[in-house]
Structure formats: C-alpha cells, structure tokens
C-alpha cells in the first residue's frame, strides 16, 4: 500500500497541525521557522500560515524525518525530490502513525513559489529580495504613484508627507520628507523595503538600522519608464511595467502631435518654468523641459546647465521669455523682482500660474506625466494669443482646464507639495547657481 502526498495538500496539512506542529519544532528539535510574516519569530501562538512558512535545509528535513520515523512504525520512507513522499506502512494498524509522518514530511518538502532575486538601484547597489516585499514605504510622491499605478497600492504602509495621489494614500502614516524623515516611525512599521531618492540623507541611517532601501532617481523623461520598471521588479511584478509605460508613451505622443498641429508653423515660444521661488528652474534636460520641447516651446535654460539648475534672477531678465510657468501664489511677487516688470511675459501677462494641485501633476516624474503634459499644452495655447493671461487649474476628478483671464491668487496653496517631495530642487550643481 502506497500513499502519495502532492504539494497541493500542504494547505490542508497546515490546517490540521496548526499550533501543535510549530510547538513541536521549537521544543523537540529547536528548529525555528522563518515565518511569512516578515521573517520574525516573536510569536507565542502560531497559525497555519506560520506552519507553511517553514524554511529548512535538506539536512534539517532529513534529520527531522529520521527522528520521526526511528520508532520503526514505518519500515520505509523514501524522499523523491522535493515534491512528494512515498511511504509503505508495515501494517494497517500503523497507518495512522505513518499518516502523521507523511503530513510532516509534506510540510517540510513545501517550498515557496518565488525565488530570491536582485535588482540594481541608482546607487549601483544590487539589492536582494528573498520574496516580493509586502510592506513598502515610499518617501517620494512619484514613487508612491508608481506603486499604485502598478496596482500594488495595498502594499504601502507609509509614505512621505507630500504623497496625496491616489486619495487612498492620504490615510497612510506619514514618514516626513527626504530632509526630515521620521526614522523611528519607519523602524516601527517594519518595512520590507523603503523606496527613496538619491538625494535622501536618511539612506545610510536606515541601512545601519537594518532597513532595506532602494534608491531611484528620475530627472529625464526616459527615466520615468525606467523607474516604473525598477519599481515593478522590486515588487516582483515586472510584467506590469511595459503595459503602463507603453500607454504613457502613446498618450504623450498624441498630446505632442495635437499641440504641434494647433501651433502651426509659427515661431516657437520661449519659456521659463520655475519650480521654486528661490529661482530653481526646469531646464531643457529635465523631464519637464523635454515635455515643453515636444510641445513646440523653446526653453531659455539649456541642457548644459543641468536638469534643475538654480539661476541668478538676472539670467531670466537677459533671456526675456515669452511665457513664464510659475506657482499661483508666486505670481504677485514677479513685478517686485529686479528687472522682471519689463519682461515680455510679465508685460503681456503671458504667465501660466498653476495651483498647487496642478503643480503636483506637472512636476512629479511618474505615471501621471501625460496629465502634466496636457496641462502644459492647454496653458500654452491661450498664451499664444496676444495680451492673453494664462491660468491653469485642475477640476474635480483630475480634468485640467485652462482659460484666459487675469491670474488669481490662492494664499493657501503650498508650493512645497508640488516639488515631488522636495527632490526636484536639489537636483542642481553648485556651478549653475550663478548661470551666465
């Protein structure tokens, strides 16, 4: 008489043993399971899921099987691979004991469906994962949005304070920002991995505390698809990234073609995009600059100055842009900047003022990049008319609306919330702070 126990029986096996099986392993053979619940053994009561989380070496499996079978209730126990065991009982009266041995052997022979994998981050570190991380903390809004765009929002256990899309992430614990990260909160949440930017100062500190980090830097347009792919690989769902990236690419191409058709063959508008009131600009080399170029605009900040350089205010005066993109609450201060009152964009009210919610969409290099590009396009079209002021707002539901009128002001808007968690304005080189 031969009994076969396939791997599919493991779940039932675990439900049969439950607490007692884990207790036996601890007390009799001092074998400590690595539980599926984040590799910790700080439990006093074990569930069937814990039982299934056992990770034993082949030697441990063989030793445990020998101990269990040495009473000679079973005359033969043969291990065939890791998938099934064959047991031949000596007599019918011993079937029950052999059944117990078979079930324990089946549990021990179970191996998880995943295999260890490694992903290289933007610090050129090879970060290894035993299994796809289930508890993820994101310290950058664009990375938070990328996780959710991959349909893995449920894995997030905390975000930075600026992450606000989709709406569900607003209810998650907030771990500060890249400059003032709440390390204690992160440690208490026991994350499997923390996603963050290269400029985060907390990376080394988290590593010292045993918290796994994965660094992703996104400055150029091409980096958006690459960062999506990295996040997908970290989460163990690499097959989802190409579909999301391809949909974004097609939408961006469509918006670019439509904008070029509306603009016609006229002279391209020169533009200045300010990402911070301390005169940090989005240069031609940034993802924002690339989107503006595809919309037919000419950026006054060349690629040679870097993606997000800090400029001398006189630089903008000398280059006299046709259109200025700026946060809504900063519009009122433009006339007070030395020489700016005479700028063509200020004289002709060609100012694209963005509310905080719209700025969030535009400056975050993530899965909403097409929405940001559409916002820029709808603002540029009114600006091409003479004496037309440009204002940009976001309607409920995420639909962008642009209209010609005098800029309005919103003193409650917070520029900081739109700078991708503060990452954008630190992407500059010291030699660009006084651009010629």
């Amino acid at each position: 008489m031969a009994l076969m126990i396939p791997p599919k029986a493991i779940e039932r096996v675990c439900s049969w043993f439950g607490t007692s099986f884990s207790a036996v392993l601890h007390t009799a053979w001092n074998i400590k399971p690595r539980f599926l619940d984040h590799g910790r053994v700080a439990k006093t009561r074990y569930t069937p899921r814990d039982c299934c989380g056992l990770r034993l070496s082949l030697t441990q499996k063989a030793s445990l099987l020998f101990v269990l079978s040495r009473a000679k209730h079973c005359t033969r126990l043969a291990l065939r691979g890791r998938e099934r065991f064959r047991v031949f009982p000596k007599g019918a009266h011993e079937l029950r004991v052999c059944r117990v041995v078979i079930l324990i052997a089946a549990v021990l022979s179970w191996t998880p469906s995943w295999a260890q994998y490694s992903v290289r981050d933007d610090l050129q570190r090879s970060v290894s994962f035993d299994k796809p991380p289930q508890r993820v903390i994101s310290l950058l809004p664009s990375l938070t949005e990328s996780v959710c765009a991959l349909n893995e929002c449920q894995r997030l256990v905390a975000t930075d304070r600026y992450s606000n899309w989709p709406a569900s992430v607003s209810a998650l614990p907030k771990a500060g920002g890249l400059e003032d990260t709440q390390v204690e909160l992160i440690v208490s949440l026991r994350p499997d991995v923390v996603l963050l930017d290269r400029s985060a100062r907390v990376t080394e500190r988290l590593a010292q505390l045993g918290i796994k980090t994965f660094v992703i830097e996104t400055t150029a347009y091409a980096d958006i698809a690459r960062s999506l792919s990295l996040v997908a690989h970290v989460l163990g769902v690499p097959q989802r990234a190409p579909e999301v990236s391809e949909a974004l690419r097609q939408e961006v191409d469509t918006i670019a073609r439509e904008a070029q058709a509306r603009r016609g063959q006229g002279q391209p508008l020169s533009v200045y995009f300010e990402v911070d009131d301390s005169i940090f600009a989005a240069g031609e080399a940034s993802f924002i600059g690339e989107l503006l170029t595809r919309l037919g605009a000419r950026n006054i900040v060349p690629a040679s100055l870097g993606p997000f350089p800090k400029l001398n205010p006189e630089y903008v005066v000398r280059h006299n842009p046709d259109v200025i993109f700026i946060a809504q609450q900063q519009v009122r201060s433009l006339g007070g900047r030395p020489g700016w009152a005479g700028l063509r964009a200020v004289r002709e009210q060609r100012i694209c003022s963005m509310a905080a919610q719209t700025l969030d969409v535009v400056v975050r290099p993530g899965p909403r990049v097409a929405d940001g590009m559409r916002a820029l396009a709808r603002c540029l079209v009114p600006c091409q008319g003479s004496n037309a002021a440009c204002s940009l707002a976001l309607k409920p539901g995420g639909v962008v609306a642009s209209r010609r009128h005098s800029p309005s002001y919103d003193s409650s808007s917070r520029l900081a919330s739109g700078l991708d968690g503060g990452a954008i304005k630190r992407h500059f080189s010291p030699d660009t702070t006084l651009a010629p």
Side-chain angles (χ1 to χ4, degrees):
M1 177 179 179
L3 299 176
M4 303 295 292
I5 303 296
K8 291 182 180 180
I10 300 301
E11 187 174 349
R12 180 177 298 177
V13 171
C14 289
S15 67
W16 285 0
F17 279 97
T19 302
S20 60
F21 181 71
S22 295
V24 168
L25 292 181
H26 272 285
T27 58
W29 292 282
N30 195 29
I31 297 175
K32 297 182 178 181
R34 285 187 58 187
F35 298 113
L36 292 178
D37 187 13
H38 324 305
R40 291 172 174 80
V41 292
K43 289 189 176 184
T44 56
R45 184 170 180 82
Y46 306 104
T47 66
R49 183 185 181 190
D50 297 331
C51 175
C52 287
L54 287 170
R55 287 170 177 263
L56 303 178
S57 67
L58 288 176
T59 301
Q60 288 174 314
K61 291 178 182 179
S63 299
L64 184 55
L65 289 175
F66 172 75
V67 172
L68 292 174
S69 60
R70 65 182 177 177
K72 298 183 179 179
H73 288 294
C74 299
T75 57
R76 180 179 180 187
L77 181 116
L79 171 65
R80 295 194 174 185
R82 294 188 180 185
E83 295 188 354
R84 56 183 70 216
F85 292 83
R86 184 184 300 272
V87 176
F88 299 90
K90 187 175 182 180
H93 65 282
E94 297 177 350
L95 178 59
R96 180 174 298 180
V97 177
C98 286
R99 180 182 182 187
V100 172
V101 175
I102 295 170
L103 295 179
I104 293 177
V107 172
L108 295 178
S109 67
W110 180 80
T111 56
S113 58
W114 56 80
Q116 187 181 56
Y117 61 97
S118 299
V119 188
R120 186 170 296 276
D121 71 357
D122 284 340
L123 290 182
Q124 299 307 308
R125 304 176 305 170
S126 182
V127 183
S128 298
F129 300 90
D130 293 330
K131 60 180 180 180
Q134 299 301 310
R135 298 178 62 83
V136 179
I137 293 179
S138 167
L139 293 182
L140 211 60
S142 58
L143 296 179
T144 301
E145 296 180 10
S146 295
V147 171
C148 292
L150 295 167
N151 294 324
E152 296 297 337
C153 227
Q154 73 280 1
R155 299 201 202 183
L156 291 170
V157 295
T159 70
D160 63 290
R161 69 164 59 89
Y162 303 116
S163 290
N164 54 9
W165 188 92
S168 60
V169 305
S170 298
L172 293 173
K174 299 302 177 183
L178 294 177
E179 297 289 345
D180 58 347
T181 307
Q182 305 299 311
V183 176
E184 295 81 4
L185 175 62
I186 292 177
V187 173
S188 69
L189 291 172
R190 301 179 300 176
D192 297 325
V193 67
V194 176
L195 305 176
L196 67 170
D197 180 77
R198 179 193 290 267
S199 58
R201 300 176 179 177
V202 75
T203 307
E204 185 176 348
R205 174 60 176 156
L206 290 176
Q208 293 172 349
L209 294 171
I211 303 296
K212 187 173 297 185
T213 60
F214 194 89
V215 174
I216 301 176
E217 183 177 24
T218 309
T219 54
Y221 172 70
D223 290 335
I224 296 175
R226 185 181 62 84
S227 66
L228 269 169
S229 178
L230 286 175
V231 172
H233 277 80
V234 168
L235 298 179
V237 289
Q239 71 281 1
R240 297 183 189 172
E243 181 179 355
V244 176
S245 297
E246 179 61 19
L248 286 177
R249 186 193 65 78
Q250 292 181 7
E251 194 170 359
V252 166
D253 290 346
T254 299
I255 296 170
R257 286 194 301 269
E258 293 174 351
Q260 294 283 7
R262 287 195 299 267
R263 188 178 67 84
Q265 300 299 318
Q267 188 72 14
L269 294 172
S270 60
V271 299
Y272 165 71
F273 191 106
E274 185 172 292
V275 297
D276 186 86
D277 58 357
S278 54
I279 321 297
F280 282 89
E284 192 177 29
S286 69
F287 72 94
I288 298 173
E290 292 181 64
L291 296 179
L292 288 169
T293 298
R294 297 196 63 178
L295 291 172
R298 180 178 61 83
N299 200 319
I300 67 169
V301 183
S304 59
L305 294 182
F308 296 102
K310 184 175 182 179
L311 303 175
N312 187 313
E314 295 179 0
Y315 177 94
V316 182
V317 174
R318 286 196 297 270
H319 288 79
N320 196 17
D322 295 315
V323 180
I324 292 177
F325 289 86
I326 195 169
Q328 199 172 67
Q329 69 271 25
Q330 299 299 325
V331 176
R332 188 174 295 175
S333 67
L334 290 182
R337 299 180 184 183
W340 284 48
L343 291 177
R344 185 182 304 111
V346 176
R347 290 197 320 269
E348 300 180 1
Q349 298 183 12
R350 294 172 179 257
I351 299 171
C352 185
S353 59
M354 295 174 286
Q357 191 177 6
T358 304
L359 193 63
D360 287 349
V361 180
V362 174
V363 303
R364 293 178 180 178
R368 293 195 292 169
V369 63
D371 294 335
M373 185 180 187
R374 188 176 291 107
L376 297 176
R378 292 184 179 179
C379 192
L380 277 174
V381 171
C383 289
Q384 292 180 4
S386 59
N387 298 321
C390 313
S391 182
L392 200 60
L394 203 64
K395 292 180 178 178
V399 180
V400 177
S402 61
R403 54 194 181 275
R404 299 187 185 190
H405 59 69
S406 297
S408 58
Y409 306 98
D410 179 7
S411 59
S412 65
S413 298
R414 293 184 299 115
L415 176 63
S417 67
L419 298 180
D420 201 18
I424 284 183
K425 73 174 187 177
R426 286 193 300 281
H427 287 296
F428 70 95
S429 302
D431 58 352
T432 63
T433 55
L434 292 175

